[in-house]
Amino acid sequence: MTENQTWVTEFSLLGFPLSLRIQMLLSGLFSLFYVFTLLGNGAILGLIWLDSRLHTPMYFFLSHLAIIDISYASNNVPKMLTDLLNERKTISFVPCIMQTFLYTAFAHTECLILVMMSYDRYVAICHPLQYSAIMRWGVRTVLAVTSRTCGSLLALVHVVLILRLPFCGPHEINHFFCEILAVLRLACADTWLNQVVIFAACVFILVGPLCLVLVSYSHILAAILRIQSGEGRRKAFSTCSSHLCVVGLFFGSAIVMYMAPKSRHPEEQQKVLSLFYSLFNPMLNPLIYSLRNAEVKGALKRVLWKQRSRSKKILQRKKASRETDSLM
């Protein structure tokens, strides 16, 4: 190994090649999106925690999806917001590798969680009488833990294969974070094994799960069409359509990014797709579930009603206390 293939201490993130004024504007806009992501997913978690009617397998998986979305956005977006306001955009080697690991781990886990959610809807609609027995607490906990474990192990494989590579320079990542394909472009050795593992992971994590989701929903659609009650069909379509919207956004952007043929400007295309993948998807997920799901909207109304009733009682107690004090 030559002298310029020594241990890398830091990378430079090129980010978005825009004027300072536009970068400041984007920083403010993306900050709002990030706050909406935290508030939206936090509200979903709070509603599921506070409303006992949402303590069901479907919302158990939805709470895991909300946690993953918060973690996923928090891994990439704060650094991006800081770099938009700074002229010097650098990241140390170890934090860069950690960012790559967390990015891939959260992405893999979200793919598997979405599959578990489609399986939950399949059991609920196609086998309603056995739903409680099949999706009991122990089973859904095992499914959630398995999703997280598989996602983390696959991410670890990617990171181990990256660490074996030498980086000769220039150490400039043409991205706004340490995305795995952008990091591999800086290696001064053959990355064929990394590319093969990434492709295999895409087949295992994207194509395979997407096929399972489509098979589940073909059975679900057939079962919904057999439901006699119009209200029952409407409720089933409501919960399933929300999940299908999330699946379409997530898997669609991921497949285009990692499996579609590259254009003449692949790096700029990947930056835009990564922005959608790491910021817009986590922000849109709670909006989709809250706007299209009657149970979530009902839970929000009940929580707000309880809070209003509690506030009224507190005010009445304070008023009664003041009246008692004035009489004395």
Side-chain angles (χ1 to χ4, degrees):
M1 186 175 292
T2 61
E3 187 178 349
N4 64 347
Q5 291 177 319
T6 56
W7 179 263
V8 179
T9 57
E10 67 177 20
F11 292 110
S12 295
L13 296 168
L14 299 183
F16 300 99
L18 303 169
S19 66
L20 181 60
R21 185 176 178 180
I22 301 241
Q23 288 192 49
M24 291 180 68
L25 180 64
L26 287 178
S27 177
L29 186 63
F30 293 162
S31 296
L32 284 176
F33 290 163
Y34 181 55
V35 169
F36 289 150
T37 298
L38 298 181
L39 291 178
N41 287 286
I44 292 287
L45 287 172
L47 287 175
I48 294 172
W49 176 268
L50 293 172
D51 196 308
S52 59
R53 298 187 194 183
L54 299 184
H55 294 174
T56 62
M58 173 183 171
Y59 293 101
F60 170 82
F61 290 118
L62 180 57
S63 65
H64 280 270
L65 181 64
I67 292 170
I68 292 168
D69 281 339
I70 291 173
S71 305
Y72 193 71
S74 298
N75 179 51
N76 303 335
V77 177
K79 175 62 177 171
M80 178 189 69
L81 296 177
T82 304
D83 287 343
L84 284 171
L85 299 175
N86 290 332
E87 187 175 346
R88 190 170 182 268
K89 305 173 176 63
T90 60
I91 184 170
S92 299
F93 180 80
V94 173
C96 181
I97 295 300
M98 282 300 300
Q99 197 177 60
T100 303
F101 169 76
L102 292 173
Y103 165 77
T104 51
F106 292 139
H108 292 157
T109 304
E110 183 158 350
C111 288
L112 297 175
I113 287 291
L114 289 173
V115 175
M116 303 308 172
M117 292 176 75
S118 69
Y119 175 68
D120 170 77
R121 291 298 83 205
Y122 164 76
V123 176
I125 294 172
C126 298
H127 304 282
L129 298 179
Q130 289 121 347
Y131 180 63
S132 298
I134 295 175
M135 298 303 296
R136 59 189 182 274
W137 173 259
V139 171
R140 59 182 186 253
T141 301
V142 168
L143 291 175
V145 170
T146 302
S147 299
R148 289 179 177 272
T149 304
C150 289
S152 299
L153 288 176
L154 277 171
L156 186 61
V157 170
H158 290 307
V159 167
V160 169
L161 291 176
I162 288 174
L163 290 175
R164 73 184 179 87
L165 297 172
F167 294 91
C168 320
H171 302 144
E172 293 180 342
I173 298 176
N174 190 10
H175 219 291
F176 60 88
F177 75 103
C178 292
E179 193 271 332
I180 186 169
L181 295 179
V183 172
L184 285 177
R185 291 191 190 98
L186 303 186
C188 52
D190 192 358
T191 61
W192 71 270
L193 181 58
N194 300 73
Q195 300 290 346
V196 167
V197 172
I198 290 172
F199 181 80
C202 286
V203 173
F204 177 69
I205 288 292
L206 290 176
V207 179
L210 183 58
C211 291
L212 291 176
V213 170
L214 294 177
V215 169
S216 296
Y217 272 98
S218 65
H219 289 285
I220 288 170
L221 181 61
I224 289 175
L225 294 176
R226 290 196 297 268
I227 297 175
Q228 300 296 324
S229 167
E231 178 65 21
R233 282 198 300 269
R234 187 197 62 78
K235 185 177 179 181
F237 271 121
S238 174
T239 57
C240 293
S241 61
S242 299
H243 181 248
L244 272 177
C245 286
V246 173
V247 166
L249 286 171
F250 186 85
F251 280 90
S253 56
I255 288 173
V256 169
M257 183 171 174
Y258 289 102
M259 302 194 74
K262 306 303 179 186
S263 67
R264 277 188 279 177
H265 305 286
E267 294 179 352
E268 299 304 315
Q269 171 189 312
Q270 284 178 9
K271 278 192 271 189
V272 174
L273 284 171
S274 293
L275 189 63
F276 187 87
Y277 206 63
S278 31
L279 182 59
F280 297 129
N281 264 2
M283 181 184 69
L284 291 173
N285 286 354
L287 289 175
I288 291 170
Y289 275 104
S290 60
L291 293 177
R292 299 181 61 85
N293 195 310
E295 289 181 346
V296 172
K297 288 188 283 188
L300 179 59
K301 290 177 183 177
R302 288 191 294 271
V303 169
L304 292 176
W305 177 259
K306 286 180 183 178
Q307 188 63 36
R308 186 182 301 175
S309 301
R310 189 176 304 164
S311 299
K312 283 183 179 179
K313 287 180 181 179
I314 292 172
L315 289 174
Q316 288 171 357
R317 288 174 186 170
K318 288 182 178 179
K319 185 178 180 181
S321 177
R322 284 196 299 267
E323 290 176 353
T324 305
D325 291 341
S326 62
L327 290 174
M328 293 176 62

